[in-house]
Amino acid sequence: MLPGPTPGTPEAPSGARGFAVVDVEATGRSPWRHRVVEVAVVLLDERLCPEGEFATLLDPLGPVGPTHVHRIHQGDVEGAPRFREIAPLLLELLAGRVLVGHHVTCDQAFLDREFARIGVPLPPVPLLCTMELARVHLPEARGHGLAACAEAAGLGWYPAHTALGDARVTADLLRLCLGAPSCPRDDWAGPLREAARVPWPRLGRARSRPSGGGVPLLRREAPYGPWLPGSQAPEVVLTQAAAMGSTA
């Protein structure tokens, strides 16, 4: 999905764990009034090499919100985990990493509120925003939204407004911007050093469902480019991923 290290990428600072590229889809625009209905994380190491990815729909315990935007229907989240059930794993994925997103403060705000609802304050995490990076290192983009930046970068079609699709293309955009000659080393080495020093909370893994099975994950997938404008976009497919194990 992602290529190897960007040629010429300088050595990362010692102790750096890497980057967590995140995207959330939500039931509305307000982190205080609305809930996360899908979350995805793409992990990159300190040299921008792919390490793994995580994605699932979530049960928002209410209406799913603007289906015309995120294309998530109420029936899609039946049986999906609640945020509390995936929170321990999410903390493990994010700990020690720079948090990356396109307009990353929005994704951070939704995650911060979801964790606050279960009594877990997130630490002050170093951030990298690909929207801000693209303003500087991708000046030919016709706009600063993710679709416009992906088009200017030649990244091809991606399943927009699916959390995993957005996170994957944001990871590619990060690699392109940080590998640009115009990008100074401190744009990424500084946040990596800071991230390695941030203490993170931990949570015990969620218990099994009443049925005795592990917590299921529901993942939306779609083909990833190239795609010609004017042709029909591939269908997004909903699959049940392997259930997360449980602990007492």
Side-chain angles (χ1 to χ4, degrees):
M1 183 264 295
L2 294 171
T6 302
T9 302
E11 290 295 329
S14 176
R17 191 170 174 220
F19 305 88
V21 185
V22 300
D23 187 81
V24 304
E25 298 299 321
T27 62
R29 294 185 176 183
S30 170
W32 294 89
R33 293 187 294 109
H34 300 119
R35 302 296 301 271
V36 173
V37 73
E38 187 180 30
V39 60
V41 182
V42 173
L43 300 177
L44 304 176
D45 70 11
E46 68 279 3
R47 295 294 308 279
L48 302 174
C49 295
E51 291 188 307
E53 54 187 31
F54 166 84
T56 187
L57 291 172
L58 296 171
D59 181 355
L61 305 177
V64 295
T67 296
H68 66 284
V69 175
H70 52 48
R71 303 190 301 282
I72 299 170
H73 298 269
Q74 204 68 42
D76 294 338
V77 299
E78 291 181 4
R82 299 178 180 182
F83 186 85
R84 171 62 182 87
E85 293 177 307
I86 61 103
L89 176 58
L90 202 53
L91 285 174
E92 293 173 13
L93 295 175
L94 301 180
R97 295 178 185 269
V98 178
L99 194 67
V100 182
H102 202 77
H103 193 12
V104 68
T105 54
C106 178
D107 299 290
Q108 180 199 30
F110 272 101
L111 291 176
D112 187 71
R113 285 304 305 152
E114 289 289 356
F115 277 108
R117 289 184 179 104
I118 61 172
V120 179
L122 287 186
V125 185
L127 308 175
L128 275 180
C129 181
T130 53
M131 177 182 289
E132 297 303 321
L133 288 170
R135 290 179 190 270
V136 177
H137 306 297
L138 201 64
E140 64 272 25
R142 57 181 174 81
H144 300 114
L146 186 55
C149 292
E151 180 185 24
L155 297 178
W157 182 88
Y158 69 99
H161 299 297
T162 66
L164 186 56
D166 285 355
R168 283 172 171 172
V169 80
T170 299
D172 282 342
L173 190 59
L174 176 72
R175 297 165 59 84
L176 185 144
C177 289
L178 295 192
S182 56
C183 183
R185 185 177 187 273
D186 278 350
D187 273 13
W188 61 274
L192 280 174
R193 282 193 296 268
E194 183 182 348
R197 296 192 294 264
V198 174
W200 277 77
R202 289 182 175 271
L203 278 176
R205 288 294 183 94
R207 296 177 181 269
S208 299
R209 290 289 176 88
S211 63
V215 178
L217 301 178
L218 292 177
R219 176 165 165 154
R220 289 198 296 170
E221 276 279 11
Y224 189 89
W227 175 75
L228 296 177
S231 63
Q232 185 175 0
E235 180 183 0
V236 175
V237 178
L238 181 63
T239 60
Q240 182 165 327
M244 296 190 297
S246 64
T247 60

